[in-house]
Amino acid sequence: MATLMQKDALLEGVAQALGYADTKGTSKDITILENMQNTIYSSKPEDRRFRF
């Protein structure tokens, strides 16, 4: 089971990747990362089966 802290760590990683993609990535990269971020935000901390 994922904990709230693990979910927070996932969100932090996606936020860092978004920051990098904003300067060096493509719009497709940014869209994929934004979708990941929205999926993680809307999931329960116990839900480990993230579908990206």
Side-chain angles (χ1 to χ4, degrees):
M1 290 183 144
T3 65
L4 189 58
M5 291 303 295
Q6 289 169 326
K7 181 178 174 179
D8 185 57
L10 283 172
L11 288 169
E12 179 66 26
V14 172
Q16 288 177 358
L18 267 169
Y20 181 78
D22 193 38
T23 59
K24 307 242 187 229
T26 65
S27 62
K28 183 179 177 184
D29 297 331
I30 293 170
T31 301
I32 290 169
L33 290 167
E34 286 173 340
N35 288 339
M36 282 183 184
Q37 189 176 43
N38 291 335
T39 301
I40 296 168
Y41 271 126
S42 64
S43 69
K44 295 177 183 176
E46 303 85 27
D47 189 7
R48 298 182 340 178
R49 293 170 285 164
F50 298 113
R51 307 275 177 176
F52 300 119

